Amino acid sequence: MCTFLAKSFTSRAGLHSLRRCKLPSASFASVVQEPRRDDLHATPARSGTSASGLKPLKLYWKLAKGKLTLWVSLSAMPGYFLALPGFVDPTVAIALFTGSFLTSSSAQTMNQMIEVKRDAKMKRTAMRPLPSGLLTLPEAACFATGSGALGLGILAVGTTAPTAAVAALTMATYAAVYTPMKVRSPYNTHVGAISGSLPTLMGFTAALGTGLAVSPWLPHAMWIFGMQTLWQMPHFYALAWLHRADYLQGGYKMFPLTDATGAETAAMSKPYLAALCALPWAMSACGAASWMLPVGAALPSAYWWHTLQAFEKKPGATTCRHFFLGSLSYLIALLALFTAYARVEKASDDSITNKDSQSSGLEPAWRVKLRSYLLNVCPHEQACKELLHTAWQNGGCPIAKPPL
């Protein structure tokens, strides 16, 4: 299986074309040296990369794009903690995180297998394990196959079958649709944004399974999916503009690559930021979250908008990098705030016979009781109820809820 997968990513010239790929300049060639024939076919241990065996682990971490994969795994967790109808099951939570990490590692590895020749032409990617020759295509194929199969198995057995299905869909769209599209159309970013947001649904399916389709948590799942999809557009526009020379060298097609000044990139990003600033307010207005969601989101939104304005006024590597880092702080804050403040809308009084009937299937009783006990310590929600007439909604502090 590993051999078949490796061959599918290798042309008739095979590794010879990779070894003979010409570097764009002499200065670049002095930094990134062409791998030797024996290096390409040797394992990292035989080629002298490490005597202790620690180096190969680092190579596979890079092959999996470990930092990015960690973000993917973390994005799957909020939905589970939010929609879980009972106490947290540590085995399910661990299975969700581990399975997400392994399947993402597989997708990232297949991405690098497809792009190995282009990576060799780019300064920022030339020293990745495959183009540098520190790992071979068969080794990468085995890693992609093993991590993907193991990750899907863990998700199917440790969580739910729909969770494994979402993970499989993520892998397929990322490796088979988004990756080839990167050299064909600048709209690849839009496709990649959808693929990169699918893991946010995995937490909800891990908690509810197929029941998510008829659950009151479905709008919340769609909200976080939409939020992260919109977020990825300015995030990757900034990254593409920062490394536009490299991406052009690799033959990629992205809208910011033809923007010499940065003004177009800032203009393209602005509508997405405006929508992202409005989303928390819309969610609270619909009764799907406490008003503390937009209140808490105001600071990261304002900071990210400030970095965009700085980039717009004075385009450059420094301001664009600040804009890029601002997107990361925004996402971290919104995922945390969403987990804390998102709520299901309160049912009508006629349909409620007791407290347990409302909490069953929606939220665990311990969370409902704790919020009810600490309701009066939240002046913000009380003020919103009085001033904005929102007593009808089921909002509140992350640990407070109006009594029935």
Side-chain angles (χ1 to χ4, degrees), residues 31-33 62 122-129 131-132 134:
V31 177
V32 183
Q33 305 216 349
K62 292 180 180 180
M122 298 167 59
K123 185 176 181 180
R124 63 184 292 264
T125 59
M127 292 309 296
R128 284 177 174 175
S132 66
L134 296 176

Side-chain angles (χ1 to χ4, degrees), residues 61-81:
W61 171 265
K62 292 180 180 180
L63 190 64
K65 296 183 183 177
K67 294 180 180 179
L68 176 59
T69 290
L70 188 60
W71 278 88
V72 172
S73 303
L74 291 174
S75 70
M77 303 307 295
Y80 174 72
F81 292 119

Side-chain angles (χ1 to χ4, degrees), residues 64-122:
K65 296 183 183 177
K67 294 180 180 179
L68 176 59
T69 290
L70 188 60
W71 278 88
V72 172
S73 303
L74 291 174
S75 70
M77 303 307 295
Y80 174 72
F81 292 119
L82 185 65
L84 186 68
F87 285 96
V88 174
D89 186 340
T91 58
V92 175
I94 293 173
L96 175 61
F97 183 86
T98 305
S100 301
F101 190 91
L102 289 171
T103 53
S104 177
S105 298
S106 177
Q108 300 297 340
T109 300
M110 289 187 284
N111 167 269
Q112 292 185 67
M113 293 174 66
I114 296 171
E115 296 181 341
V116 60
K117 294 181 182 179
R118 292 187 172 86
D119 282 347
K121 299 177 182 179
M122 298 167 59

Side-chain angles (χ1 to χ4, degrees), residues 294-307:
V295 170
L299 183 60
S301 298
Y303 174 72
W304 195 14
W305 190 269
H306 171 73
T307 60

Side-chain angles (χ1 to χ4, degrees), residues 6-7 9-23 34-41 116-117 120-121 130-131 133 135-138:
K7 289 182 179 179
F9 291 109
T10 310
S11 63
R12 179 176 296 180
L15 294 177
H16 296 286
S17 60
L18 171 62
R19 293 194 298 270
R20 297 174 182 174
C21 63
K22 295 184 179 180
L23 298 171
E34 189 178 50
R36 298 193 306 269
R37 178 182 299 269
D38 55 345
D39 288 336
L40 285 172
H41 293 281
V116 60
K117 294 181 182 179
K121 299 177 182 179
L130 289 178
L135 287 177
T136 64
L137 282 173

